[in-house]
Amino acid sequence: MKKAKCKWCEVTYTAGHGTKNLLRHLDTCPNREVNVDGSVVQFDQGVFRDMLARAIIKHNYTYSFVEHEATRELFSYLNPNVKHISRLKARSDVVNVYEKEKGILKSKLLSLSSRICLTSDLWTSVTTDHYMTVTAHYIDEDWELHSKVLCFSYVPPPYSGPILLEKLLTLLREWGIERKIFSITLDNASYNDSMVDIWKNTPSVRSSLLCDGQFFHVRCGAHVLNLIVQEGLKVIDGSLHNIREAVKYVRATQGRRVKFAECISQSCLKTSKKVRQDVATRWNSTYLMLEGAILFGCAFSHLKLIDHNFVTCPSSEDWVRGKKIAFLLKPFYDISTLFSGVRYPTANLYFYGVWQIQLRLIQARNIEDEAISSMAKAMLKKFEKYWKCYSVVLSFAVLLDPRYKLHLLEFCYSKLDMDDHVEFVRGIREKLYTLFDEYVTDDRFTSSTSRGNISVEGIDENTGDDIDEYDAFESEHFGSQSVKSQLDLYLEENRLDRKKFPDLNVLDYWKTHSHRYPELSLMARDILSIPITTVASESAFSIGGRILNKYRSSLSPESVEAELCTRNWLFGVPLEEDLDEESLIIDFQDYLH
């Protein structure tokens, strides 16, 4: 006799002569669930486990979360048919999601017609273990800019350029993209320089680099920027003493805050700026401190008149010098904000900010104030040391902005202290043409245009247009006509009016014009996706610090990588408030009520 089992309560019934008894049981089954519309609820244990794994990844739950008594009671209440899992199975489910999403991303990367730009950096965890992260940056076929973490891998000591290169190349081979790399952005550590030198001189991988790797290595702009500013602050630090101490004084006690708030009110100061304290290791906080304190100069002077303990009140000379320092630091702060964006912009937006920095330093080194002049000279010396290569990569990117092209380069470099700026711009133009030639001869284009002859019954039949013979005849007897390249046509075409298109999305422009400039647009995709900083990798470290914290320090490197990478692929980088930064700010308007 045939038997049938209820999938809800697992009670067995005879099913040899129809299904009447089974249908009767469904009406009274205690575990059968029905939706509001009368349809039967279908519980899928596989879907449940997949969703649970994704929740662990997204919210950084511990694996033991699934074994907690209250958690299991909740799951059982939601569906009595749920089968509870152990922490080991939860970990296995997370790895399964990781492998599945990795396969999807790998397929996308392999199908790209464009190249891929990389960033890489090292991080030390709470357990003092070293991890290397590698992030891929690319523009897809729909002209969307993406940033994906490829690995968050444990690196046992010691590590050096050759060791890191071998690990990196192994990773790229695993993803199948070792011959699709356009550039790599690194900080200024010596082992990174060693790694790049070996990479560019290794025949097996050098052949895949465009222009023999001439534009392959990009230095982290944020790191260089920090070095430049810190060099200047060393020179000027004494000049900021009174302003820094004045800010600390009015913030120190509740009574002083109330008194300073009254001084602001009596000085009739109306501004949305707030008084900020700076942190010695964060130069941008020094700029914000100056920017805010300068606006409250009258209030500080008033406080000195009524509070005899306030002996560090800045003098008029201190305020004048503070304004000059703030003016000098402003372009650094503006571009640092651009550098540090989680959703980083395309590379064409950096050139103007970096040029402003160089121009302002050149102007400041010649002013009469010896302190400011010394500061500018120290910063300019550091700028020239690290930014020799910025002009090429960033110039390429701004050339591909249809609002500027060569005209902005010619203007900007003419404003700098350069005797040979015309030759310099011409050199950048020639390098761009050299790079473009590599795209013109790329197999992705030349292979589709070649045509062959097919023999039919002993007769050669040309599969092309017969008029092609005329082209060959003309070339042989009259010489070939000069044909302008796509890059020629683009540069000669009228520029877009930047006032009409102040917020132009350069990717939308190239998406629209890709049919006109197929090879040039492919080059634009690669150049515009270059990350100018390693911020993307550092964002991964921030997530890594939350996953591998003091409460989860025993997690295996494989589990850390699976959670971090999958979180990046599925949910991106979450934007979180900087609570430490907020603690440095005081709004004295709150003390007037």
Side-chain angles (χ1 to χ4, degrees):
M1 185 67 69
K2 293 182 179 181
K3 300 286 186 178
K5 181 186 292 186
C6 175
K7 64 181 180 180
W8 301 109
C9 64
E10 298 187 349
V11 173
T12 302
Y13 286 89
T14 301
H17 302 286
T19 58
K20 185 175 181 179
N21 55 343
L22 297 177
L23 294 174
R24 187 183 301 113
H25 167 74
L26 286 178
D27 295 331
T28 58
C29 178
N31 292 343
R32 181 172 182 259
E33 297 185 17
V34 181
N35 287 319
V36 177
D37 60 2
S39 60
V40 178
V41 175
Q42 298 291 335
F43 176 75
D44 189 316
Q45 180 73 14
V47 173
F48 164 74
R49 288 179 59 173
D50 182 75
M51 293 181 68
L52 187 57
R54 291 169 187 263
I56 291 172
I57 292 167
K58 183 174 184 178
H59 299 292
N60 195 28
Y61 297 142
T62 62
Y63 296 130
S64 60
F65 159 79
V66 300
E67 295 179 345
H68 293 170
E69 181 180 353
T71 301
R72 292 189 167 185
E73 288 177 355
L74 173 63
F75 292 159
S76 296
Y77 171 76
L78 294 175
N79 196 302
N81 298 312
V82 68
K83 296 178 181 178
H84 301 295
I85 61 175
S86 66
R87 68 183 70 188
L88 294 179
K89 286 188 176 180
R91 178 187 178 280
S92 176
D93 290 345
V94 168
V95 173
N96 288 339
V97 175
Y98 165 71
E99 294 293 345
K100 177 182 177 182
E101 295 300 324
K102 182 177 181 180
I104 294 172
L105 179 58
K106 184 176 181 179
S107 297
K108 290 180 180 178
L109 295 180
L110 291 175
S111 64
L112 286 174
S113 58
S114 62
R115 285 181 173 253
I116 297 168
C117 300
L118 303 176
T119 59
S120 182
D121 207 350
L122 290 176
W123 174 72
T124 304
S125 71
V126 68
T127 58
T128 69
D129 293 324
H130 297 289
Y131 285 81
M132 179 177 76
T133 184
V134 178
T135 308
H137 308 260
Y138 61 92
I139 296 172
D140 64 18
E141 310 303 323
D142 293 324
W143 289 86
E144 294 290 334
L145 186 60
H146 296 273
S147 173
K148 303 292 183 181
V149 176
L150 299 185
C151 84
F152 193 79
S153 181
Y154 171 67
V155 181
Y159 53 88
S160 61
I163 292 174
L164 293 177
L165 177 61
E166 181 58 34
K167 193 169 186 66
L168 183 55
L169 291 179
T170 300
L171 170 76
L172 298 181
R173 293 187 192 105
E174 178 188 345
W175 284 84
I177 58 174
E178 69 274 16
R179 301 188 67 82
K180 298 187 67 172
I181 305 304
F182 183 78
S183 71
I184 184 167
T185 304
L186 304 163
D187 65 23
N188 295 313
S190 58
Y191 54 77
N192 283 332
D193 291 339
S194 173
M195 179 178 71
V196 171
D197 289 340
I198 299 171
W199 192 336
K200 291 168 66 174
N201 290 287
T202 302
S204 60
V205 289
R206 178 179 180 177
S207 60
S208 66
L209 301 179
L210 296 177
C211 299
D212 293 325
Q214 185 178 354
F215 315 112
F216 173 62
H217 184 198
V218 179
R219 295 188 182 275
C220 173
H223 186 74
V224 171
L225 208 64
N226 184 61
L227 292 176
I228 296 171
V229 178
Q230 293 295 350
E231 193 70 18
L233 291 180
K234 290 178 186 177
V235 176
I236 204 72
D237 192 59
S239 301
L240 298 176
H241 177 267
N242 285 344
I243 296 177
R244 182 178 286 120
E245 291 302 315
V247 170
K248 290 180 181 178
Y249 183 84
V250 299
R251 288 171 48 92
T253 66
Q254 185 77 1
R256 291 178 185 175
R257 294 179 184 184
V258 172
K259 188 177 293 186
F260 187 65
E262 293 172 352
C263 291
I264 293 174
S265 177
Q266 292 172 10
S267 300
C268 300
L269 294 174
K270 294 183 179 180
T271 175
S272 60
K273 297 291 184 182
K274 300 176 177 62
V275 177
R276 297 171 180 254
Q277 183 176 332
D278 70 331
V279 178
T281 57
R282 294 162 66 175
W283 70 264
N284 57 331
S285 69
T286 301
Y287 166 74
L288 292 173
M289 177 196 72
L290 284 172
E291 183 192 39
I294 288 169
L295 295 174
F296 294 100
C298 293
F300 281 109
S301 298
H302 192 184
L303 180 64
K304 181 183 178 180
L305 297 176
I306 62 175
D307 186 349
H308 299 295
N309 294 321
F310 183 35
V311 296
T312 57
C313 180
S315 65
S316 58
E317 292 79 8
D318 290 331
W319 289 123
V320 170
R321 183 166 292 170
K323 290 178 181 178
K324 292 178 180 178
I325 296 172
F327 177 76
L328 194 59
L329 292 181
K330 186 179 189 307
F332 286 90
Y333 177 78
D334 291 342
I335 198 169
S336 177
T337 303
L338 189 66
F339 278 161
S340 303
V342 174
R343 292 181 174 86
Y344 64 94
T346 48
N348 62 298
L349 299 178
Y350 294 109
F351 177 87
Y352 184 74
V354 175
W355 170 76
Q356 273 196 321
I357 287 174
Q358 187 175 6
L359 180 63
R360 194 158 292 187
L361 290 178
I362 290 173
Q363 294 171 341
R365 72 180 176 184
N366 297 321
I367 66 175
E368 295 181 359
D369 190 317
E370 183 63 30
I372 300 296
S373 177
S374 298
M375 177 185 181
K377 288 176 182 177
M379 295 170 74
L380 191 59
K381 183 178 179 180
K382 187 71 72 171
F383 181 96
E384 291 171 348
K385 175 182 178 180
Y386 287 108
W387 282 100
K388 289 180 180 178
C389 60
Y390 95 88
S391 55
V392 177
V393 173
L394 297 187
S395 296
F396 282 0
V398 82
L399 277 168
L400 295 170
D401 189 322
R403 296 169 297 178
Y404 303 120
K405 302 184 182 180
L406 276 169
H407 300 74
L408 183 64
L409 292 186
E410 293 167 347
F411 167 78
C412 288
Y413 286 121
S414 69
K415 302 290 286 185
L416 300 177
D417 189 14
M418 298 175 61
D419 296 330
D420 59 343
H421 70 272
V422 175
E423 290 297 320
F424 188 79
V425 173
R426 184 180 291 115
I428 290 176
R429 187 177 189 274
E430 290 174 356
K431 290 178 180 178
L432 183 66
Y433 271 85
T434 300
L435 179 61
F436 177 66
D437 287 343
E438 300 246 357
Y439 286 83
V440 173
T441 58
D442 195 293
D443 291 340
R444 284 169 288 185
F445 296 101
T446 56
S447 61
S448 63
T449 58
S450 61
R451 304 197 183 259
N453 294 335
I454 304 173
S455 177
V456 180
E457 295 183 358
I459 302 175
D460 289 336
E461 183 178 4
N462 191 335
T463 58
D465 194 328
D466 289 337
I467 201 66
D468 289 344
E469 294 182 20
Y470 166 74
D471 296 332
F473 173 81
E474 181 188 42
S475 177
E476 179 180 353
H477 295 282
F478 302 102
S480 59
Q481 294 183 347
S482 176
V483 179
K484 291 185 177 181
S485 70
Q486 294 173 24
L487 184 53
D488 291 325
L489 296 173
Y490 165 74
L491 293 177
E492 292 174 4
E493 191 175 53
N494 290 334
R495 291 174 292 120
L496 298 182
D497 189 336
R498 68 178 184 85
K499 294 182 179 179
K500 291 183 178 179
F501 302 95
D503 300 315
L504 174 73
N505 185 325
V506 71
L507 297 184
D508 286 344
Y509 170 86
W510 283 105
K511 179 180 181 180
T512 304
H513 292 79
S514 58
H515 65 285
R516 295 178 57 201
Y517 309 120
E519 292 100 328
L520 183 57
S521 64
L522 192 63
M523 184 177 76
R525 283 172 65 182
D526 293 342
I527 292 175
L528 293 172
S529 64
I530 295 175
I532 306 301
T533 73
T534 59
V535 166
S537 295
E538 292 167 6
S539 298
F541 297 152
S542 177
I543 299 174
R546 290 192 288 271
I547 294 175
L548 196 61
N549 56 36
K550 62 182 180 180
Y551 302 108
R552 304 184 73 191
S553 58
S554 61
L555 275 178
S556 68
E558 293 77 16
S559 294
V560 175
E561 181 172 38
E563 285 196 40
L564 187 144
C565 290
T566 314
R567 178 173 177 171
N568 172 263
W569 302 337
L570 292 176
F571 309 111
V573 179
L575 297 174
E576 299 189 3
E577 294 183 358
D578 189 341
L579 299 180
D580 293 334
E581 179 73 17
E582 291 299 319
S583 67
L584 300 174
I585 305 171
I586 289 183
D587 186 352
F588 283 94
Q589 296 297 325
D590 296 339
Y591 292 88
L592 294 176
H593 303 294

